[in-house]
Amino acid sequence: VKRCVLLLMTLPLQLRKPYLLFLGAATGPAEAKTAFGIRDWVPEACVAQLRLSGSRVDLGLPDLAPAAARAAGARSLLIGVAPPGGRIPESWCASLIEAADAGLDIVSGMHTLLEEVPGLSEAAARNGIALANVRRPRQGFSVATGRPRRGKRLLTVGTDCALGKKYTALALARAMRARGLDAEFRATGQTGIMIAGSGVAIDAVVVDFVAGAAESLSPEAAPDHWDVIEGQGSLFHPAYAGVTLGLVHGSQPDVMILCHDPTRTHIFNWEFMPLPSLDAAIARYVEVARDTNPAARVAGISLNTSQLDAAARQRVIAETQARYGLPCFDPILTSLDAAVDKVLSP
Amino acid sequence: VKRCVLLLMTLPLQLRKPYLLFLGAATGPAEAKTAFGIRDWVPEACVAQLRLSGSRVDLGLPDLAPAAARAAGARSLLIGVAPPGGRIPESWCASLIEAADAGLDIVSGMHTLLEEVPGLSEAAARNGIALANVRRPRQGFSVATGRPRRGKRLLTVGTDCALGKKYTALALARAMRARGLDAEFRATGQTGIMIAGSGVAIDAVVVDFVAGAAESLSPEAAPDHWDVIEGQGSLFHPAYAGVTLGLVHGSQPDVMILCHDPTRTHIFNWEFMPLPSLDAAIARYVEVARDTNPAARVAGISLNTSQLDAAARQRVIAETQARYGLPCFDPILTSLDAAVDKVLSP
């Protein structure tokens, strides 16, 4: 067993798609944000939904029990809902065990480890299925080498947390592929990992190995291959800047896209700390990225304008573009074409 | 048992002094660097040494077996030697178990967990002694708050790893106490923790909690109390910069002392990466430290001139001081007075 565990530790996380999306008894879309994100970004990976009585959320997918979902092709039950506190309630246990008995892997981003659900480890062993806790990196990582590697890398960075770095990376990878480019989304957070089917929950890595984990996430590739890497945190964040710096150094980005919410004045949940200006953010990201890639540059600004009315959204995008001389877009509202152009040719 | 483990997780590491210093069969002082550091910095914490046959290292302490050392007042056996690879050899096991049976805690900075030494967990349980793996933080940490706290903080920072940040912090704390100041050394690495008897192995913390761990290491204190914090890594290091940034942000230093080796041109063991200039390093450290403490400043430069001849050492120190307009010293060669003056009054 110990040897098996050590062997597993050396393997990157790889989720088995497609998914049966488990919604528990979610009463609103905010609670089921993960499931909606997966349905929107990888609809081809979504076979069905499984809801408990009381649920008022509908993904527009067939309602199937685990065995029927397995028969329809599903390979994993994915917990697509996050109740307050991030714990797995007792009311889910029977469904999770039923899924394991139907031959589905279980995929979770909850704080509760799947191994802590009574009876689930036994069901997993009995059926030879995997329990994937995407919040806990299972893989062992090496110290970063700092050595340049072939292939191109784009990293989304931000003036703050929780303002669209994952969404922007997904939208850029999609726009680049639509042009026929060889572009791949690389996930660093749990929802991103569930969408991609693989990745590293970078904020859960021991700090000595963060840059090394980032290196392993976007390995050497063909010269014209683009890894589009999901950013995390912010260099200016009083708690999480170490995550961001390790990710920037290890990713060795050729290009960064700066993500920003123009309505924020202070760091989210740190209301006594002002947000950096876009100038300061661009200067700092370029400065530190050049530690490991002297050619690093910022090629565009992604604005999350969802808090503004329609007229203001367009105005802020145009004003920001004029002021900074960089392509500026809101990925859920406007075209990414100018930014992709700028990514491809400085 | 589970409740006990959870309770232990919430307690900061606290080693029991004084020590019986275990030297194994070390054949030279380089291997016993940890033991020499502890003897030099906290001689009052060193009761005796324990050497295996073949050892050619002598700390100038009495040779005592564990039971005799315990009778002479020792409370812990401390492994003061690091064989290549950092593993505990089988030839040590009998001595470690004998020490546990004599009622001594065991303190180790080795990669091998003490719990992996055959028979040692049982001996610990039998005798009610503690096994302290200082390389593995046992404590759970919170996310950093970023909130200012009372008390003064000094952090040593560097242009690279392994050039004197621990030594400089210890020397500064000693010089400040010699002036009657209320100054305390705060350890962030294993040798520092053994010297101080407490601390956090900051590079082994999960990255999301690094700044929070740094906050807990130098908590709110009296307005004229100084925590003198051992720095780690370098903001410019391709593998470890995330450690350094989290430590800077969480420490909220009022003052930093920049440590540098004037003979280094490249990052240690990363020979293809040039070292930053002192100007660039000062600018970057001040910039990022001001994210969480707008008054942060660099008050002096600590030079490790051990690779130079006597005349060159003094010349480089004088030239550096003239060029940067900051007090400059080598802590094993020259006075720290001017730097302490500058720490106390900008």
Side-chain angles (χ1 to χ4, degrees), chain A residues 89-204:
Chain A
E90 268 189 51
S91 56
W92 295 5
C93 297
S95 299
L96 301 183
I97 290 172
E98 186 185 344
D101 283 334
L104 297 173
D105 288 354
I106 313 291
V107 177
S108 166
M110 310 291 286
H111 280 290
T112 311
L113 287 179
L114 290 169
E115 287 78 358
E116 295 170 34
V117 174
L120 191 53
S121 291
E122 294 79 357
R126 187 163 69 227
N127 296 287
I129 61 96
L131 303 179
N133 298 288
V134 300
R135 194 186 278 273
R136 310 276 180 124
R138 172 178 80 167
Q139 196 181 353
F141 297 103
S142 303
V143 167
T145 68
R147 294 216 172 262
R149 52 198 190 277
R150 289 191 314 161
K152 296 282 187 190
R153 282 158 202 90
L154 184 157
L155 175 67
T156 54
V157 297
T159 53
D160 198 359
C161 296
L163 44 61
K165 289 185 287 289
K166 176 181 79 248
Y167 197 100
T168 298
L170 284 161
L172 283 164
R174 176 178 282 180
M176 292 168 79
R177 278 197 306 274
R179 291 208 192 180
L181 295 165
D182 173 20
E184 188 166 3
F185 170 73
R186 296 292 191 181
T188 61
Q190 53 184 330
T191 304
I193 292 170
M194 291 168 167
I195 291 170
S198 64
V200 176
I202 196 86
D203 60 4

Side-chain angles (χ1 to χ4, degrees), chain B residues 322-338:
Chain B
R323 173 152 177 206
Y324 294 96
L326 286 169
C328 184
F329 60 92
D330 181 329
I332 69 165
L333 191 72
T334 63
S335 165
L336 282 67
D337 279 346

Side-chain angles (χ1 to χ4, degrees), chain A residues 143-148 202-208 210-212 215 235-243 245-246 249-250 270 272-273 280 284 287-288 291-292, chain B residues 143-148 202-208 210-212 215 235-243 245-246 249-250 270 272-273 280 284 287-288 291-292:
Chain A
V143 167
T145 68
R147 294 216 172 262
I202 196 86
D203 60 4
V205 173
V206 167
V207 61
D208 243 9
V210 167
E215 286 188 350
L235 282 180
F236 300 85
H237 197 286
Y240 305 130
V243 183
L245 182 54
H249 274 173
W270 269 262
F272 58 99
M273 303 203 79
R284 176 106 43 112
E287 184 187 343
V288 307
D291 291 337
T292 58
Chain B
V143 166
T145 69
R147 292 217 174 261
I202 197 86
D203 60 5
V205 172
V206 167
V207 60
D208 244 8
V210 168
E215 286 188 350
L235 282 181
F236 300 86
H237 198 286
Y240 305 130
V243 183
L245 182 54
H249 274 173
W270 270 261
F272 59 99
M273 301 204 81
R284 176 98 56 104
E287 183 186 344
V288 307
D291 290 337
T292 57

Side-chain angles (χ1 to χ4, degrees), chain A residues 243-258:
Chain A
V243 183
T244 311
L245 182 54
L247 183 57
V248 170
H249 274 173
S251 297
Q252 301 179 6
D254 301 284
V255 172
M256 293 172 286
I257 298 290
L258 178 63

Side-chain angles (χ1 to χ4, degrees), chain A:
Chain A
V1 168
K2 199 168 180 187
R3 181 169 300 185
C4 286
V5 170
L6 288 172
L7 183 66
L8 274 175
M9 291 286 292
T10 65
L11 294 174
L13 177 72
Q14 185 65 53
L15 307 179
R16 289 204 294 179
K17 295 177 180 172
Y19 303 133
L20 168 62
L21 295 172
F22 180 73
L23 294 169
T27 54
E31 233 179 286
K33 206 174 65 167
T34 300
F36 279 100
I38 292 163
R39 186 205 62 180
D40 290 348
W41 285 104
V42 280
E44 70 279 12
C46 302
V47 170
Q49 63 188 6
L50 175 59
R51 302 185 286 178
L52 300 181
S53 65
S55 171
R56 289 201 295 274
V57 171
D58 188 353
L59 299 169
L61 295 168
D63 286 287
L64 292 182
R70 179 72 190 85
R75 303 300 302 272
S76 302
L77 176 145
L78 185 148
I79 297 176
V81 63
R87 315 284 316 166
I88 294 180
E90 268 189 51
S91 56
W92 295 5
C93 297
S95 299
L96 301 183
I97 290 172
E98 186 185 344
D101 283 334
L104 297 173
D105 288 354
I106 313 291
V107 177
S108 166
M110 310 291 286
H111 280 290
T112 311
L113 287 179
L114 290 169
E115 287 78 358
E116 295 170 34
V117 174
L120 191 53
S121 291
E122 294 79 357
R126 187 163 69 227
N127 296 287
I129 61 96
L131 303 179
N133 298 288
V134 300
R135 194 186 278 273
R136 310 276 180 124
R138 172 178 80 167
Q139 196 181 353
F141 297 103
S142 303
V143 167
T145 68
R147 294 216 172 262
R149 52 198 190 277
R150 289 191 314 161
K152 296 282 187 190
R153 282 158 202 90
L154 184 157
L155 175 67
T156 54
V157 297
T159 53
D160 198 359
C161 296
L163 44 61
K165 289 185 287 289
K166 176 181 79 248
Y167 197 100
T168 298
L170 284 161
L172 283 164
R174 176 178 282 180
M176 292 168 79
R177 278 197 306 274
R179 291 208 192 180
L181 295 165
D182 173 20
E184 188 166 3
F185 170 73
R186 296 292 191 181
T188 61
Q190 53 184 330
T191 304
I193 292 170
M194 291 168 167
I195 291 170
S198 64
V200 176
I202 196 86
D203 60 4
V205 173
V206 167
V207 61
D208 243 9
F209 303 103
V210 167
E215 286 188 350
S216 77
L217 183 67
S218 59
E220 184 155 67
D224 59 351
H225 171 85
W226 280 92
D227 273 339
V228 181
I229 306 161
E230 176 190 4
Q232 290 292 337
S234 151
L235 282 180
F236 300 85
H237 197 286
Y240 305 130
V243 183
T244 311
L245 182 54
L247 183 57
V248 170
H249 274 173
S251 297
Q252 301 179 6
D254 301 284
V255 172
M256 293 172 286
I257 298 290
L258 178 63
C259 302
H260 178 64
D261 177 342
T263 65
R264 272 193 215 175
T265 56
H266 290 76
I267 293 176
F268 185 63
N269 281 341
W270 269 262
E271 303 302 340
F272 58 99
M273 303 203 79
L275 219 59
S277 69
L278 288 176
D279 296 289
I282 291 170
R284 176 106 43 112
Y285 278 110
V286 169
E287 184 187 343
V288 307
R290 288 185 177 170
D291 291 337
T292 58
N293 183 347
R297 61 193 168 89
V298 169
I301 299 170
S302 174
L303 290 181
N304 178 338
T305 62
S306 56
Q307 303 300 309
L308 300 172
D309 65 42
R313 295 176 83 160
Q314 297 289 356
R315 194 182 64 238
V316 166
I317 293 168
E319 283 172 359
T320 306
Q321 174 150 327
R323 173 151 176 207
Y324 294 96
L326 287 169
C328 184
F329 60 92
D330 181 328
I332 68 166
L333 192 69
T334 63
S335 165
L336 282 67
D337 279 345
V340 174
D341 288 341
K342 187 78 176 173
V343 164
L344 298 176
S345 45

